Amino acid sequence: MDIKILRLLAANGRMSWADIGAELGLSGPAAAERVKKLEQLGLVRGYAALLDPGELGLGVTAYIAVRLDRPAHRAAFLKRIKREEAVVECHHMAGDDDYWLKVRVPDLRALEILVSDTLKSIEGVLGTRTSIVMSTVKESATPPLDHLEQG
Amino acid sequence: MDIKILRLLAANGRMSWADIGAELGLSGPAAAERVKKLEQLGLVRGYAALLDPGELGLGVTAYIAVRLDRPAHRAAFLKRIKREEAVVECHHMAGDDDYWLKVRVPDLRALEILVSDTLKSIEGVLGTRTSIVMSTVKESATPPLDHLEQG
DNA sequence: GGTGAAATTCGGATTGA
DNA sequence: TCAATCCGAATTTCACC
């Protein structure tokens, strides 16, 4: 039953308790309790507005695979990455490439600067490989919930 | 000035007009007008709750590069991908691999099923290459805004 | 275009059933 | 869990700067 609440929140952000209740045939207070429990359990990390990158002048999305000299410079590298706003995601990968960065920049010139100046000047970075996104078919802020459905 | 509003919305989701106004030294009505303008301009695509994948039992994140027989089966492939909840993102890439999928599944068994059964059974899929995320350092729902700051 | 105040409306907490 | 009430807060409207 709570999966329905998660779907509602994921699709609409913060809603009024009454509206949530109406969707599930619950009263307002009952809905409030459920949502608060979900927040306390840590299932809900927060709320956000979804901004449109294109409209913000961020025409270029790319992935950058970064090989890192291990493991001495790791901490400094990660600290630097967290500060860099253009880096939207950073994953530690199994396999050849240590880290994959998802970045958003205004144009290819900015991407060039990010890779050639910023990233390659970080100590421990042995090399990078950039893959450019031509178009995005799907980009969901919500993790899948269907695996919970059989409950 | 409106960049501050975007940052607020990105960090907190829907807020009360009064709270937004307080942050900028504006009155409630003035803040309301600004936000509505941002929404009408298409800068704000929507609002969402940020759910924690780990807490939802989605322990495995991975990227799957998919080579596709072009271009006959493209439309059907994309339609199928959009329906697949486990696929959180789908990008059309420049270079060797046609599409990169970001997927979230409960465990490696589910990943195996997704790749071997679901994806490879789609007509036109020539091959896949799966890269597993060991840990995620950074994952932001907000695009960078610092490139707008000089305004 | 922005401010301030007033009035109305709406949501949320509490109580009792 | 639901229903009802009360309180508080938020949004809208209006008049003014």
Side-chain angles (χ1 to χ4, degrees), chain A residues 1-6 24 26 34 151:
Chain A
M1 178 70 104
D2 285 353
I3 302 165
K4 271 191 156 178
I5 299 186
L6 289 175
L24 302 109
L26 283 180
R34 299 240 183 146

Side-chain angles (χ1 to χ4, degrees), chain A:
Chain A
M1 178 70 104
D2 285 353
I3 302 165
K4 271 191 156 178
I5 299 186
L6 289 175
R7 288 199 191 277
L8 281 174
L9 293 176
N12 303 313
R14 231 177 227 112
M15 299 172 65
S16 84
W17 307 132
D19 286 350
I20 297 176
E23 293 280 348
L24 302 109
L26 283 180
S27 68
E33 234 179 288
R34 299 240 183 146
V35 171
K36 286 193 177 148
K37 192 185 283 182
L38 293 175
E39 289 175 350
Q40 279 161 9
L41 283 172
L43 295 185
V44 178
R45 234 193 273 168
Y47 298 88
L50 306 176
L51 308 183
D52 189 293
E55 295 290 335
L56 289 167
L58 296 163
V60 173
T61 302
Y63 283 89
I64 306 173
V66 177
R67 268 179 308 120
L68 203 64
D69 193 14
R70 44 195 106 186
H73 302 100
R74 190 146 292 187
F77 170 77
L78 295 180
K79 208 166 151 190
R80 184 75 187 76
I81 287 301
K82 284 182 192 159
R83 270 200 298 120
E84 193 65 40
E85 243 197 338
V87 177
V88 172
E89 297 181 24
C90 172
H91 305 283
H92 189 194
M93 305 301 292
D96 291 333
D97 301 296
D98 281 333
Y99 291 93
W100 279 15
L101 314 180
K102 180 182 181 181
V103 302
R104 299 205 122 113
V105 286
D107 47 38
L108 290 175
R109 171 84 185 118
L111 183 62
E112 183 183 16
I113 293 173
L114 178 66
V115 174
S116 300
D117 294 355
T118 308
L119 290 181
K120 292 202 171 152
S121 75
I122 299 177
E123 260 201 309
V125 171
L126 297 178
T128 66
R129 202 181 57 246
T130 302
S131 303
I132 293 180
V133 173
M134 294 198 293
S135 68
T136 293
V137 177
K138 182 179 185 178
E139 196 160 39
S140 156
T142 316
L145 299 172
D146 50 2
H147 66 112
L148 301 170
E149 291 286 4
Q150 50 272 15

